[in-house]
Amino acid sequence: MTERATLGVAVIGTGKMGADHVRRIHEVVSGARVSAVVDLDAERAKRIAVRVEGCTAYTDPASAMAAADVDAVLIASPGPAHEAALLQAFEHDLPVLCEKPLTPDAASALRVVEAEQKLGHRRAQVGFMRRYDAEYMKLKSLLGTGQLGRPLMLHNRHRNAASPPFFTSSMLISDSVAHETDVTRWLLGHEITAVTVWRPTPSANAPDDLQDPQFVVFETDGGALSDVEIFVNCGFGYQVRAEVVCERGTARIGDGHAMVTNMAGRWGGTIAQDFVERFADAYDREVQAWVDATRRGEVTGPSVWDGYAAAAVCEAGVRSLDEGGRVPVELAERPALYG
């Protein structure tokens, strides 16, 4: 199939994530240009648009999608706005890269799945960027060789220096552990069947009424267990680690020892301070892969089914957090469109 010319992308949402994607497409990614930006804050949209030649600012996603110079859509708006934007993109049959979460709950995510099914072909990729991180990709490749044998356990650690002021206890699951939900399904090739959330004594550094840290355990249909330590006010930086324990060996990523210094009687390195820094290369790789696939007329990467499954698991996790105990995960029947 002949590749399209330079892809005109409308970026919806110009907050921290959206603005970074505008920069990424404009300065890093090849084969695409930012032709439109959309934000309810008209002045913010204009401030972003003037930095990119030929970029138009909009306050309405539908108007941007109808523009002649828009070939694809990148959704980086808040989660509650994703469903409407996705459905509008499907109406125009436009390719979409949607930042996680696909939508904030399983019911709305399933509506997106059903809407894409009606198109008869995939149109959307979900932004689970860890699948494009070099270390995670290497771990996935190693597991695929079978050298380590069958995976038995997966240990995940997810730490942030400090949580935003609006963060709630349930958001530790729905906004943070959502990544480990996808990582578990992707690395192990299993569906998550049940979730249990444990509540350690909150850290003195956590804001009042925030249950931080939390300890999450996933059960899978392949018989493996996956645990997640989520600690969003650790104080020292941003860390993401994973270790898989298999029948014949283990493998660990995320130690962050790219460079170790020895000086003045001390040794050590640096710790990333946020996800944008830690996963910068993964975001670059993810968006480039999306652009390349879109120009070929293909859709690759995490599907809306993956987004729906993550939403269903997170809902079960929030219920376990609120009510205590083990909560089964209930999934709809997987459509043939998603393999």
Side-chain angles (χ1 to χ4, degrees), residues 54-171:
C55 180
T56 304
Y58 296 86
T59 56
D60 174 38
S63 298
M65 292 182 204
D69 58 353
V70 169
D71 306 304
V73 179
L74 193 157
I75 300 174
S77 51
H82 287 186
E83 180 183 6
L86 282 158
L87 297 182
Q88 288 170 343
F90 291 167
E91 288 178 5
H92 291 275
D93 204 21
L94 288 171
V96 184
L97 174 58
C98 179
E99 275 297 343
K100 71 89 190 165
L102 177 67
T103 67
D105 59 85
S108 58
L110 188 57
R111 289 195 293 268
V112 173
V113 169
E114 292 167 347
E116 191 178 53
Q117 273 187 277
K118 290 179 181 177
L119 291 177
H121 52 264
R122 283 189 58 189
R123 260 302 176 230
Q125 174 181 326
V126 182
F128 288 121
M129 82 293 186
R130 290 192 194 176
R131 297 193 188 197
Y132 297 87
D133 175 71
E135 289 188 79
Y136 273 102
M137 292 170 69
K138 190 171 183 179
L139 180 56
K140 174 68 172 176
S141 178
L142 175 61
L143 291 174
T145 68
Q147 296 177 46
L148 298 181
R150 182 170 58 91
L152 305 173
M153 292 176 286
L154 176 63
H155 304 300
N156 301 280
R157 305 294 177 263
H158 187 163
R159 298 166 180 154
N160 294 62
S163 60
F166 57 81
F167 231 54
T168 64
S169 295
S170 65
M171 290 175 74

Side-chain angles (χ1 to χ4, degrees), residues 73-287:
V73 179
L74 193 157
I75 300 174
S77 51
H82 287 186
E83 180 183 6
L86 282 158
L87 297 182
Q88 288 170 343
F90 291 167
E91 288 178 5
H92 291 275
D93 204 21
L94 288 171
V96 184
L97 174 58
C98 179
E99 275 297 343
K100 71 89 190 165
L102 177 67
T103 67
D105 59 85
S108 58
L110 188 57
R111 289 195 293 268
V112 173
V113 169
E114 292 167 347
E116 191 178 53
Q117 273 187 277
K118 290 179 181 177
L119 291 177
H121 52 264
R122 283 189 58 189
R123 260 302 176 230
Q125 174 181 326
V126 182
F128 288 121
M129 82 293 186
R130 290 192 194 176
R131 297 193 188 197
Y132 297 87
D133 175 71
E135 289 188 79
Y136 273 102
M137 292 170 69
K138 190 171 183 179
L139 180 56
K140 174 68 172 176
S141 178
L142 175 61
L143 291 174
T145 68
Q147 296 177 46
L148 298 181
R150 182 170 58 91
L152 305 173
M153 292 176 286
L154 176 63
H155 304 300
N156 301 280
R157 305 294 177 263
H158 187 163
R159 298 166 180 154
N160 294 62
S163 60
F166 57 81
F167 231 54
T168 64
S169 295
S170 65
M171 290 175 74
L172 271 74
I173 304 292
S174 60
D175 282 45
S176 297
V177 176
H179 282 294
E180 281 73 25
T181 298
D182 184 67
V183 160
T184 296
R185 296 179 61 253
W186 176 62
L187 285 178
L188 302 184
H190 302 169
E191 286 292 2
I192 296 170
T193 56
V195 187
T196 305
V197 178
W198 298 90
R199 302 164 56 112
T201 300
S203 168
N205 297 321
D208 292 342
D209 301 322
L210 189 70
Q211 177 57 54
D212 180 39
Q214 297 175 23
F215 192 81
V216 183
V217 178
F218 297 138
E219 301 170 38
T220 77
D221 61 1
L225 293 177
S226 175
D227 63 72
V228 186
E229 172 210 306
I230 178 66
F231 187 12
V232 298
N233 287 278
C234 74
F236 56 79
Y238 182 83
Q239 284 186 330
V240 168
R241 293 174 174 169
E243 181 179 25
V244 64
V245 179
C246 301
E247 292 170 317
R248 295 193 294 273
T250 69
R252 185 177 69 238
I253 62 172
D255 288 331
H257 290 162
M259 180 175 72
V260 177
T261 61
N262 294 273
M263 58 194 310
R266 297 183 179 183
W267 67 271
T270 60
I271 300 174
Q273 292 300 297
D274 64 17
F275 66 94
V276 173
E277 179 184 354
R278 165 62 180 84
F279 287 109
D281 289 344
Y283 281 115
D284 290 349
R285 199 174 288 112
E286 172 192 49
V287 176

